[in-house]
Structure formats: structure tokens, C-alpha cells
Amino acid sequence: MRNTAESCDVAIIGAGPAGLFAVFECGMLDIGCQLFDALPAPGGQCSALYPEKPIYDIPGHPRIDAAELVDRLLDQAAPFAPVFHLGHAVAALTATADGYVVENAAGRRVAARAVVIAAGAGAFGPNRPPLPGIAAFEEESVFYLVRRREDFRGRRIVIAGGGDAAVDWALALADIAERVSLVHRRGKFRAAPQSTARLERLAADGRIELVVPYQLHGLEGDGGRLSAVIVADPAGQTRRLAADCLLPFFGLASDLGPLAAWGLDLDHSRIRVDPATCATSRRGIFAIGDVAAYPGKLKLILTGFAEAALAAHAIHPLVHPGHALHFEYSTTKGVPGGVPGR
Ligand SMILES: Cc1cc2nc3c(=O)[nH]c(=O)nc-3n(C[C@H](O)[C@H](O)[C@H](O)COP(=O)(O)OP(=O)(O)OC[C@H]3O[C@@H](n4cnc5c(N)ncnc54)[C@H](O)[C@@H]3O)c2cc1C
């Protein structure tokens, strides 16, 4: 296993759930990994977008909060001593005689035999509503994600959007906020049926105000502190919603950024892979998780986990040429040093 300051067996771009599990799968095959992420902490969407939300479709965990899943993935990867380079996006990839050099925006360069791109939706950012002066309110009273539900206790919250994120956060904040108003340009929400049913019940009880069909129109406030959100109906009639904070949930802008210029075969903003190996169109570069595209792909955490295993097995001959890979279960092989906390 190679893992020094300047070089490693595999450089993983993206420390979301897929990238983190790839450390474990590679480690089990004696392949050392270093992870790069633009975000300051590992966990990808789970940490950045919904740390306190429960996930119900992780096999073996009937319910697990996203932040806890990330902690467990970190525990699972720990025996293989991954090196993290966080807080700076990967900016460049250069081919070498025996692999690649990955370089981040801070100038950190690491040579690797193979590269696993686990970049999710790319170096992601929220779709911002086009409201004049919104930048002055961001991170003070306008938030594109909820890091801690408690931060919103007793506040007057306007949530905008019609999808799962908007509906789920309206439901999750209804019992701690002073008031929750949910603004959507249509009367119908695009959320899971059970969430929509709960939303309707809470609206009927007066615990959530449904402001439909309305769109965001403007913001009022001073020095970054919001006092009201102005909304407009399709005829242009405006309404003023007194508010302390606005949570716009209009999805994520996916931008592969520099990755899109690396000569990989792309499918819109995702990377086409061979579903049997997760190999991309360039030798030694693999893609897993949300960023990987093939027919029938399901963008789920569990899919990314399976792809991490496929990629690790396909990488083995590149890192250990001439060594036959004998498939072994983890029960037979065990984990070096055991699992932390057990
Ligand atoms: C609100 C919400 C609820 C969800 N609920 C579920 C659920 O219940 N079950 C489920 O299976 N899935 C759920 N998902 C989807 C799930 O979170 C994703 O499928 C999963 O996070 C994808 O993992 P990933 O590792 O492929 O990518 P991500 O988690 O997107 O991580 C990718 C990482 O790559 C980094 N990155 C990108 N480009 C670069 C670059 N150039 N340089 C450095 N770093 C880079 C990003 O910063 C990011 O940290 C949900 C998503 C959301 C938003």
C-alpha cells in the first residue's frame, strides 16, 4: 500500500459517502487512498445539505441520521489511514508515465496510480433565486441549507420551493419555529406522497402557512438582517411576509468545473462509465456515486457503495500488477487493527 506525502495508490476526488466507502474497499485490497474535497469537512451532500435528516434506505440501518452515517463511514475507513486534503477543489489532473498527478486549488499535488472521481454533482452550489441584494443576506438570514435545526428555534421562517427539500424542512421546522410559511409557484408539491399528506395536515392545523401560487419577489431588511420576504402571485399582486429568515430550496447547480475538461466521455454533467467496473473512457480514471452515469443508474447512496467495490476490484491490477486478486469476503479476511470503537 503506497500512501506518502507526495504519492498514493489512488487519489479520490470527492469525500462524500461514495468516496469515503471507496477508501474501505480499496484498503481491503491493499490499496492506499488520499481524498480531495472542496468542502471543509468530509461527507458530501450528507454533511453539507442534510446532516440531521434521517436516511431510511441504508441497508442494515432502518434509520440513520446523515451525519451519523458519515461518522460511521469515517470509522470504517480509519484502519486504512486515508489522507484528507479538504477545503480546496481539485483544479488540475496531469497524466504521468505511471498514472496521474492530482492538484488542488491550494497547489497540493499528489501522484497516484489511479484516480476515482466521486464528485457527486460536482463542486456543488445552490441555485440562488434572482432577488436584488440577496448576497448581503446570505449566511445571516438567507440559508441554502440547514446545518442545525436548533438555529431556527423561535424564528419566523419563509421556505421557498416545491420539492422534497422544501417540504421536508417545512415539516421538520414546524414544531420549533415561531411560524413557517412555504412559498411555491404551483398549488401542488413535488415531494414524497407521505410528506405531502403531512404537509396538508399541518397546513389545515394552521402550523404551516402554504403561500401558493406565489413566487419570491424581493427582500426587506437591513445590514443582512431580514425583516420581510415579498412574494408575488401570477398576476403580479404582491404580499409581504414578515420573516427572520428565508430558506430557498431550488436544487443544486451541478458544475463539474475543471473535471469536464479532462477528456472524459460525459453524459450532460455526469461521467459515463462501464457499469461492470466504473472505468471511465480514460485508463486509470474511475467514477462512482452520483457523478457516474450508465443506463438504469439510481442516484442513491447504496448504489455508490456498490460502485466503490466494483472500482476497487478494477483498480487492483493497476496498483498491484502481476498479483492475482483472490476474491475474499470481509468475514474471512478481517480488517487490519479491528474496527475503531469495537
Ligand atoms: C435532502 C437530500 C436527501 C437525500 N436523501 C437520500 C436518501 O434518503 N437516500 C439516499 O440513498 N440518498 C439520498 N440523497 C442523495 C445522496 O445524498 C447522494 O446520492 C449521495 O450524497 C451521493 O454521494 P456521492 O459520494 O456520490 O456524492 P456527494 O455526496 O455529492 O459528494 C461529492 C463530493 O465531491 C466534492 N467535489 C466535487 N467536485 C470537486 C472538485 N473538483 N474538487 C474537490 N471536491 C469536489 C463535493 O464537494 C462533495 O463533497 C439525498 C440528497 C439530498 C440533497
Side-chain angles (χ1 to χ4, degrees):
M1 181 183 291
R2 187 172 63 146
N3 214 342
T4 68
E6 300 81 30
S7 67
C8 61
D9 294 323
V10 173
I12 301 175
I13 302 173
L20 291 175
F21 194 60
V23 174
F24 174 83
E25 285 295 330
C26 285
M28 291 296 276
L29 302 183
D30 199 27
I31 298 170
C33 298
Q34 301 203 10
L35 291 116
F36 291 79
D37 205 297
L39 297 173
Q45 295 176 44
C46 294
S47 299
L49 299 183
Y50 59 105
E52 294 183 340
K53 283 181 94 171
I55 306 175
Y56 300 100
D57 56 355
I58 302 299
H61 294 278
R63 174 198 157 128
I64 185 166
D65 285 357
E68 193 190 343
L69 175 65
V70 173
D71 286 345
R72 292 194 175 208
L73 287 167
L74 288 167
D75 277 355
Q76 203 167 13
F80 305 104
V83 177
F84 287 89
H85 307 283
L86 300 174
H88 302 280
V90 166
L93 180 82
T94 318
T96 61
D98 64 347
Y100 294 91
V101 169
V102 173
E103 181 172 353
N104 72 11
R108 186 96 184 91
R109 289 162 60 86
V110 175
R113 288 271 165 71
V115 173
V116 171
I117 302 177
F124 59 80
N127 285 319
R128 295 179 157 77
L131 299 175
I134 191 167
F137 293 96
E138 286 173 352
E139 291 303 310
E140 176 82 27
S141 354
V142 172
F143 304 95
Y144 299 101
L145 61 95
V146 177
R147 285 203 178 83
R148 258 175 28 104
R149 189 169 159 265
E150 270 305 306
D151 294 345
F152 297 88
R153 183 172 287 280
R155 308 186 75 182
R156 298 167 301 170
I157 305 169
V158 174
I159 296 177
D164 282 309
V167 171
D168 289 355
W169 280 117
L171 297 174
L173 294 171
D175 50 341
I176 62 163
E178 183 186 318
R179 196 175 63 238
V180 172
S181 308
L182 180 56
V183 180
H184 182 36
R185 66 195 160 100
R186 299 208 178 88
K188 240 174 129 48
F189 288 87
R190 288 171 284 104
Q194 63 275 30
S195 305
T196 320
R198 244 189 95 205
L199 180 70
E200 279 159 11
R201 282 200 301 277
L202 291 188
D205 292 348
R207 289 173 53 205
I208 294 177
E209 183 194 10
L210 297 183
V211 186
V212 293
Y214 276 87
Q215 294 207 55
L216 298 179
H217 186 73
L219 302 175
E220 281 180 14
D222 214 8
R225 289 183 71 120
L226 200 63
S227 53
V229 174
I230 312 301
V231 294
D233 71 9
Q237 290 292 322
T238 58
R239 239 185 97 182
R240 186 177 181 280
L241 306 172
D244 303 308
C245 31
L246 168 67
L247 306 177
F249 291 117
F250 296 128
L252 294 171
S254 61
D255 177 14
L256 278 184
L259 281 65
W262 290 353
L264 300 165
D265 192 6
L266 298 181
D267 178 352
H268 298 96
S269 57
R270 295 195 292 146
I271 300 169
R272 269 206 193 98
V273 299
D274 173 348
T277 58
C278 292
T280 68
S281 54
R282 283 185 72 176
R283 185 180 149 76
I285 304 184
F286 298 78
I288 61 172
D290 280 11
V291 78
Y294 51 83
K297 163 81 181 204
L298 284 177
K299 283 208 247 169
L300 286 174
I301 293 167
L302 66 86
T303 318
F305 289 165
E307 290 163 357
L310 293 172
H313 281 76
I315 288 168
H316 185 269
L318 302 177
V319 173
H320 300 296
H323 291 237
L325 172 58
H326 299 291
F327 179 84
E328 274 184 301
Y329 292 122
S330 68
T331 40
T332 318
K333 205 172 165 140
V335 171
V339 176
R342 302 285 157 109

